[in-house]
Amino acid sequence: MTTQDTLNLPLLHLADFSEDETSPAAERFVEQLRTTCHEVGFFYLVGHGVPTQLNDDLQRVSKEFFSQPVEERMAIAMDNSPHFRGYTPFKGEQTNGQSDLRDEIDFGPERAAVPNSTVPYERLIGPNQFPDSVPELRSVVLAWQREMDRLGRTVLRAVARALGQDPAILEDWVSPHAEDTIKLVRYAAPTEEDNSNQGVGRHRDFGILTFVLQDEVGGLEVEREGDLVSAVPVPGAFVVNLGEMLQLLTHGYFKATVHRVVSPPTGIERYSCIYFFNPRLDATLSPLNLPTALQRNAPGGESDDASNPILATYGENILKVRLRAHPTTARAHHADLLQESPA
């Protein structure tokens, strides 16, 4: 049985909040959330209300896609999409300038492209690519996206309470819709030619909230007090962490925590389904006026990496990340932006 004593990260029960947001149990959840987001920036979330069957279906169709021949996977290659949607082959994405030992599919809000826009980040708006080889994947992904949007908004209301804010202030960031991203990821073991076991290199996430649905294979590691600890898989739980935008907005009172994924051992693959709950692209987020008791413990939310500034307008921040992480797609569709993006 999973208990807090056996885990390296806090375990929070969202049902205590969502069943009655005015109850004493909800207030206790908010206090737990405040402490966790200030001290750790990562936690397990149970009682979230996302149907187990839907999570199982998503993991099943994800594995079915990755089992397809490479030509079927490459039919929806991200390099086809100026909106950074679709399949990225093994080692096709980079973190800190080094290739990640994984392949993946990216999805976002299903919308029409904005032709001839003069706003660079509006190039990210557009349709998804779904594979003909796994027709069920489209309906499952879109159903999961709706459930995760509901979950993201619930947690965001709790975040507002934890920060002493009117929830309407934070809800405005994701209205009329969030700029969410879904990644279905497969991690593989290093080959003899690889000089690392970097499933994903050390990094912080870039938005507001990230929800990770892990399989039974470990590998996610989280920085705590200078050490990296394992976020062991907990059945039925999401691993949740905070992004850079929330760190910036809270003057660093809430922290975006460094983490990485270590490749699985030879003969084993790891699958992960990730939901990034992010502000709308044109949201320019101003730091919040925190209660005095919180403000005195806020060290400042700016990035300590001069080469990776946190930009206040979300669209500019995510475009910066996309151009860096997917160099071949960037060169194919956005060569004019590469010299303009932050170094």
Side-chain angles (χ1 to χ4, degrees), residues 289-298:
N289 292 318
L290 299 179
T292 302
L294 306 187
Q295 185 65 51
R296 67 167 61 103
N297 291 305

Side-chain angles (χ1 to χ4, degrees), residues 241-264:
N241 64 282
L242 313 184
E244 292 176 328
M245 301 300 288
L246 203 49
Q247 175 176 292
L248 180 69
L249 291 164
T250 62
H251 311 267
Y253 183 77
F254 280 179
K255 63 189 297 183
T257 301
V258 172
H259 55 286
R260 70 177 183 181
V261 175
V262 176
S263 300

Side-chain angles (χ1 to χ4, degrees), residues 28 117 157 191 196 229 243 255 287:
R28 288 192 294 272
S117 173
R157 288 195 301 275
T191 65
S196 82
V229 301
K255 63 189 297 183

Side-chain angles (χ1 to χ4, degrees), residues 52-119:
T52 299
Q53 186 62 58
L54 182 56
N55 285 337
D56 291 347
D57 287 344
L58 184 68
Q59 291 176 316
R60 174 178 54 79
V61 295
S62 175
K63 290 180 180 180
E64 184 177 347
F65 172 81
F66 288 114
S67 71
Q68 299 295 306
V70 64
E71 58 269 19
E72 294 287 354
R73 286 177 270 139
M74 291 301 293
I76 60 165
M78 183 179 284
D79 284 354
N80 300 334
S81 169
H83 321 299
F84 294 90
R85 313 287 179 82
Y87 175 69
T88 300
F90 191 62
K91 299 185 184 180
E93 185 169 7
Q94 296 183 352
T95 306
N96 303 322
Q98 183 166 318
S99 295
D100 296 323
L101 303 183
R102 62 176 180 170
D103 58 347
E104 64 186 46
I105 330 171
D106 280 59
F107 304 100
E110 184 72 10
R111 288 179 287 169
V114 181
N116 305 315
S117 173
T118 60
V119 180

Side-chain angles (χ1 to χ4, degrees), residues 1 6 16 65 99 132 156 179 227 249 252 256 276 296 318:
M1 179 178 178
T6 65
D16 291 343
F65 172 81
S99 295
D132 293 335
L156 194 63
E179 187 65 24
D227 295 324
L249 291 164
F276 299 90
R296 67 167 61 103
I318 182 56

Side-chain angles (χ1 to χ4, degrees), residues 127-142:
N128 291 297
Q129 297 189 85
F130 290 100
D132 293 335
S133 58
V134 187
E136 190 184 0
L137 191 144
R138 178 190 180 100
S139 61
V140 172
V141 164
L142 294 179

Side-chain angles (χ1 to χ4, degrees), residues 162-215:
L163 293 168
Q165 305 295 312
D166 180 346
I169 295 174
L170 278 64
E171 288 172 356
D172 180 63
W173 303 344
V174 294
S175 298
H177 53 74
E179 187 65 24
D180 52 12
T181 299
I182 292 172
K183 282 182 179 286
L184 306 182
V185 187
R186 174 177 63 174
Y187 299 90
T191 65
E192 292 182 0
E193 293 76 25
D194 295 317
N195 59 4
S196 82
N197 64 346
Q198 177 175 299
V200 179
R202 293 168 66 108
H203 68 286
R204 296 179 176 90
D205 289 347
F206 44 80
I208 298 178
L209 295 165
T210 303
F211 299 82
V212 182
L213 178 64
Q214 302 191 89
D215 67 4

